[in-house]
């Protein structure tokens, strides 16, 4: 009986060891397959995203150079008793109307008429005026024929500020073009001496894809980019850096790059950065090698990422073959990723006009 029990125990132990070894071997062999499958899924998603109306809206921000100049003006000359703009302050329906005007300092409200009441703020204007901000405050007789087919509906808006350098801002809106839902935009932004600059934005496409950008400065700076759908994360890149108190410059503390179930990580060790490691479904790939290639060095490394054109990743598989992320992604996909997140860092396509109208309502408040 003891001999049979001992034999059974050895058999079970052997099965367990064989199972563990088989799973590890499978994980090792699946790295190339997994990353190729995940890249294919990401490329397919980016092709769909780039063909959507939401992407066309976002692309306006990456190509427009006028949006930045249309932000809130300095509040230093405004009555200091007013320190916030809320959705209730600007609620209503505002429609663009081509209006002749004399040259000089012109309020944007000269070109928008409040046509109705609403619990939200609804702004309607021609898409062509969104694409070319320079024409928004100009008059052309042909503008009277334009259709207000670009509609922004704000469901949340709050802007608390002390001056031009201290604020806490939040908004949520829907974008609709020609009666077609383009997607939903959310933004949170704040700046203060104590907490530094923080920015988070997210755009949810009508077909289920979502992109998100997070960025904050300070002694520990974090920049993160994510593309996902209902199945999970398709692409994510996070760069964390810490400020040297002597040089006052940031250096990398932690970096992660994820495509599907494949993740590359590099962390700060006791005295320097550890070697990058690659995982498939959380399982370390001991026979694979990852090299982080620095494409361009920066004086202040708070966003040293593939998205920001600062680095690339070279993966050597256990069979000795190697490739880079930039080679795996199609040229169009890589450009789409960079355009998407460049846009999310600006989002001037709607916020410029919305904030401008809100500011003019605020400064004309009695």
């Amino acid at each position: 009986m003891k001999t049979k029990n001992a034999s059974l125990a050895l058999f079970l132990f052997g099965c367990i060891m064989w199972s563990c070894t088989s799973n590890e071997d499978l994980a090792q062999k699946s790295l190339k397959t997994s990353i190729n499958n995940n890249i294919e899924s990401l490329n397919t998603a980016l092709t769909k995203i780039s063909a959507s109306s939401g992407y066309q809206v976002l692309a306006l921000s990456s190509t427009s150079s006028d949006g930045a100049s249309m932000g809130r003006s300095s509040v230093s000359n405004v009555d200091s008793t007013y320190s916030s703009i809320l959705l209730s302050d600007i609620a209503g329906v505002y429609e663009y109307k081509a209006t002749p005007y004399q040259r000089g300092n012109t309020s944007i409200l000269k070109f928008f008429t409040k046509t109705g009441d609403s619990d939200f703020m609804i702004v309607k204007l021609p898409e062509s005026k969104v694409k070319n901000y320079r024409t928004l405050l100009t008059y052309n007789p042909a503008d009277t024929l334009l259709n207000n087919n670009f509609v922004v509906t704000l469901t949340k808006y709050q802007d608390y500020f002390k001056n031009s350098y201290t604020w806490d801002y939040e908004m949520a809106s829907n974008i609709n073009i020609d009666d077609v839902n383009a997607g939903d935009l959310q933004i949170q932004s704040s700046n203060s001496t104590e907490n530094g600059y923080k920015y988070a934005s997210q755009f949810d496409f009508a077909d289920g894809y979502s992109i998100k950008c997070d960025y904050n400065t300070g002694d520990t700076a974090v920049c993160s980019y994510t593309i996902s759908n209902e199945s999970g994360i398709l692409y994510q890149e996070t760069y964390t850096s810490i400020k040297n108190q002597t040089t006052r410059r940031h250096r990398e503390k932690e970096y992660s790059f994820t495509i599907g179930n494949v993740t590359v990580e590099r962390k700060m060790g006791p005295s320097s950065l550890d070697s990058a490691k690659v995982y498939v479904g959380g399982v370390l790939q001991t026979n694979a090698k990852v090299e982080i290639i620095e494409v361009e060095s920066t004086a202040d490394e708070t966003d040293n990422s593939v998205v920001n054109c600062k680095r690339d990743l070279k993966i050597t598989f256990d069979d000795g073959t190697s490739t880079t992320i930039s080679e795996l992604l199609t040229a169009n996909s890589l450009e789409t990723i960079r355009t998407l997140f460049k846009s999310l860092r600006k989002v001037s396509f709607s916020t410029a006009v919305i904030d401008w109208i809100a500011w003019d309502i605020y400064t004309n408040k009695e």
Side-chain angles (χ1 to χ4, degrees), residues 241-254:
S241 58
I242 54 177
K243 182 182 291 184
N244 184 292
Q245 297 303 315
T246 302
T247 63
R248 306 303 295 173
R249 291 173 59 181
H250 285 81
R251 63 190 179 108
E252 182 178 332
K253 177 184 179 184
E254 185 174 343

Side-chain angles (χ1 to χ4, degrees), residues 301-314:
E301 296 183 344
T302 58
D303 185 8
N304 202 351
S305 62
V306 174
V307 168
N308 202 31
C309 308
K310 301 299 183 183
R311 62 176 38 166
D312 200 353
L313 276 69
K314 180 180 179 181

